[in-house]
Amino acid sequence: MVEQIIDLEAVEQGEYLVKSDFDSQLQERKQEMDEIHSKMKRHLASVAKDIGLEAGSSIKLEFVSQHGYHFRITLKDETLIRKNNSYRILDAIKGGVRFTTSKLQDYSDSFATLKSAYEEQQQTIVAEVIRVAIGYIDPWTMLNNQIAQLDCLVSFAVSASTAPIPYVRPKMHKDGPSVLKLSQIRHPCLELQEDVNFIANDALFAQDASMYIITGPNMGGKSTYIRSVGVTVLMAHVGAFVPCENAEMSIVDCILGRVGANDNFTKGLSTFMVEMIETAGIIRKATGKSLVIIDELGRGTSTYEGCGIAWSIAEWLAKDSKCFTLFATHFQEITDLATYVPNVKNCHMEAIVDEKRMTLLYQVKPGVMEKSFGIQVAKLANFPPGVIQLAQKFYSECEDHRGSLKEKHAADGLKVLQSCFEQIDNFDCESDTFSLSSDALQNLRSLMN
């Protein structure tokens, strides 16, 4: 219907018209318009001969909505028509002088009248075309939806079969205890890059291991690892195969992520404020069936405040929400959470570091990585040696100060404990009970605080 009705040649010129031969009245109007247009071209030749210019080159027939059809000559040729009463100048522009004649004006008016009648008749045909097309809305909508779904599923299949290592079908659990076991998980985008030999890792969650606190050097692969888990779980839930050797998971109610950090200057929000707003949303929405991935929370503020915020959020997710969580951080103190909460486990990205270089292995291993090796990364970035030496000096001083503070606090604590034991009253061997004096209780409370 479109091919039969629309004038495709006019479309190439930016006009959307119904073909003149589609309707007898349109065809009649078109013939009349073409005849007037031919008369205007003959009149152009006559005017060109009269003023001594070449038709179509030095003098042109043009159309603008303001003046209709008119002639245009260059500014330097304007003297040829200036004193001739047969020609009326319309205006002068950078491209030349526009003028008309009484005969051309009549032709232009007649052409405009015919074109208006043509368009009115055309609108009648367009209205009928739309009425017919409306009857196809339901099948077209259904067809569009089916093609969209087919396109999506075919894309899933192509991605799964053409990957460097073919994807596998995940085993999904609708009911029962929450489980998430991903063996040799890969990132579906990064593994496609040229000259990349992607290092796969496992992500094994259970009720007694619902949170993993991930430490390790900068550029060691922490962010890539947690993103791989998030993307894989998302792919499984939308019906795609996943980039693993084996995948088994429960259906999650949501995937909540706090990855990356950017400010929002249009709303006047700093990087840290955006981070806190997003984290607050995670705390409100996370349930026992959620997956949460958090990357370096709290780095946008002071070290101690950031560490405190990160610790409190990690503890809440582990104790209250009990959702599956990957928590990547450079705050080594947070790894102590695994000592107090049984379902928290520590792991790190493996790296080999010596005095000259650092080799990143991109492998997830159990336990804690004690350092982030930021100075070694600065060396890789070709920092000036003087800057590296100064950074190492200040780092060593901070570590020494931190160690001395720990020793002092430990010594003070031992003194308080010793004082408490010396003030034990009424010790009962049979029931293993005893009482403390009020001073000893106060000292013990201070130590605990």
Side-chain angles (χ1 to χ4, degrees):
M1 184 173 63
V2 170
E3 291 177 345
Q4 292 178 356
I5 296 175
I6 301 300
D7 187 346
L8 299 180
E9 293 181 359
V11 170
E12 296 179 356
Q13 301 174 1
E15 294 184 308
Y16 294 90
L17 303 173
V18 175
K19 287 182 179 180
S20 59
D21 56 0
F22 182 77
D23 180 77
S24 59
Q25 294 185 22
L26 283 180
Q27 192 168 14
E28 182 180 349
R29 298 285 186 275
K30 185 68 166 62
Q31 290 175 352
E32 293 176 354
M33 292 166 63
D34 290 343
E35 183 179 349
I36 292 178
H37 200 269
S38 298
K39 290 180 179 180
M40 286 190 288
K41 285 187 175 181
R42 289 194 295 268
H43 185 49
L44 169 65
S46 175
V47 171
K49 183 178 180 181
D50 181 53
I51 61 178
L53 296 176
E54 183 180 354
S57 177
S58 301
I59 178 172
K60 298 179 180 180
L61 176 67
E62 295 182 346
F63 174 86
V64 294
S65 57
Q66 181 181 359
H67 302 300
Y69 280 96
H70 60 275
F71 300 128
R72 181 173 64 85
I73 59 177
T74 62
L75 292 174
K76 67 178 181 178
D77 293 332
E78 188 262 343
T79 55
L80 299 175
I81 63 171
R82 183 182 301 170
K83 297 181 180 181
N84 193 329
N85 295 330
S86 300
Y87 307 121
R88 177 167 59 89
I89 296 177
L90 300 175
D91 60 14
I93 58 176
K94 184 177 180 180
V97 176
R98 295 190 286 207
F99 69 98
T100 187
T101 66
S102 58
K103 182 180 288 189
L104 181 60
Q105 186 65 50
D106 292 339
Y107 289 153
S108 180
D109 293 342
S110 299
F111 188 90
T113 302
L114 290 171
K115 185 177 180 181
S116 177
Y118 186 96
E119 290 175 349
E120 289 180 3
Q121 180 63 20
Q122 179 177 258
Q123 288 299 323
T124 303
I125 298 174
V126 170
E128 179 64 18
V129 170
I130 292 176
R131 187 189 66 79
V132 174
I134 287 176
Y136 293 92
I137 286 181
D138 290 339
W140 268 109
T141 302
M142 181 272 293
L143 185 60
N144 285 340
N145 290 335
Q146 295 298 325
I147 291 176
Q149 292 184 36
L150 182 62
D151 179 45
C152 180
L153 296 175
V154 169
S155 298
F156 287 164
V158 170
S159 298
S161 60
T162 60
I165 301 176
Y167 294 178
V168 299
R169 179 177 180 174
K171 183 179 180 181
M172 308 295 291
H173 298 283
K174 184 177 180 179
D175 302 314
S178 296
V179 61
L180 177 57
K181 297 180 179 180
L182 306 175
S183 300
Q184 296 298 286
I185 182 175
R186 311 182 307 276
H187 195 288
C189 297
L190 292 183
E191 71 168 350
L192 298 179
Q193 293 182 350
E194 295 183 0
D195 302 325
V196 170
N197 183 16
F198 195 89
I199 306 299
N201 287 287
D202 295 337
L204 306 176
F205 291 86
Q207 294 299 320
D208 60 343
S210 62
M211 172 181 281
Y212 284 94
I213 297 177
I214 309 168
T215 52
N218 294 286
M219 300 197 310
K222 299 188 298 298
S223 298
T224 299
Y225 174 62
I226 66 175
R227 289 168 191 253
S228 300
V229 174
V231 170
T232 300
V233 173
L234 176 61
M235 292 173 65
H237 280 71
V238 299
F241 280 29
V242 295
C244 302
E245 284 189 359
N246 184 53
E248 180 181 359
M249 68 187 75
S250 302
I251 294 179
V252 301
D253 55 12
C254 59
I255 302 172
L256 303 170
R258 165 86 283 283
V259 180
N262 290 299
D263 58 7
N264 190 331
F265 67 92
T266 58
K267 295 183 179 180
L269 301 178
S270 67
T271 301
F272 180 68
M273 188 60 181
V274 172
E275 187 178 40
M276 291 298 98
I277 291 174
E278 293 179 356
T279 306
I282 291 176
I283 294 175
R284 287 194 299 267
K285 297 178 182 178
T287 69
K289 293 186 175 296
S290 303
L291 172 64
V292 175
I293 57 175
I294 294 180
D295 190 13
E296 298 186 29
L297 179 67
R299 61 185 175 180
T301 186
S302 69
T303 301
Y304 295 118
E305 287 182 320
C307 182
I309 292 172
W311 178 294
S312 62
I313 292 172
E315 184 170 337
W316 186 89
L317 291 172
K319 287 185 175 180
D320 296 283
S321 175
K322 296 182 180 179
C323 56
F324 291 157
T325 305
L326 289 170
F327 199 103
T329 183
H330 284 292
F331 296 128
Q332 302 296 329
E333 295 81 359
I334 300 180
T335 59
D336 293 341
L337 188 64
T339 306
Y340 308 104
V341 184
N343 58 315
V344 176
K345 306 298 180 183
N346 286 318
C347 61
H348 67 277
M349 307 304 297
E350 187 74 0
I352 300 175
V353 182
D354 55 29
E355 295 181 356
K356 295 183 178 180
R357 63 180 180 177
M358 175 174 66
T359 303
L360 302 172
L361 302 181
Y362 305 108
Q363 294 179 339
V364 179
K365 298 292 184 179
V368 179
M369 176 70 77
E370 294 296 336
K371 295 176 62 177
S372 295
F373 302 105
I375 295 179
Q376 282 73 15
V377 174
K379 290 181 180 178
L380 294 177
N382 293 323
F383 267 48
V387 176
I388 296 293
Q389 293 174 4
L390 186 60
Q392 186 65 53
K393 175 184 176 184
F394 278 106
Y395 171 75
S396 300
E397 291 178 354
C398 291
E399 283 292 298
D400 292 342
H401 178 68
R402 182 181 179 187
S404 62
L405 286 177
K406 284 186 176 181
E407 292 178 358
K408 181 177 183 301
H409 291 160
D412 293 342
L414 288 174
K415 290 180 180 179
V416 173
L417 286 175
Q418 182 179 2
S419 174
C420 291
F421 282 117
E422 290 175 352
Q423 300 181 56
I424 291 177
D425 295 331
N426 303 322
F427 179 72
D428 189 342
C429 294
E430 294 181 359
S431 61
D432 288 338
T433 60
F434 61 88
S435 61
L436 292 175
S437 65
S438 59
D439 292 339
L441 284 172
Q442 184 176 357
N443 291 335
L444 186 58
R445 291 192 185 98
S446 299
L447 174 64
M448 294 174 67
N449 290 333

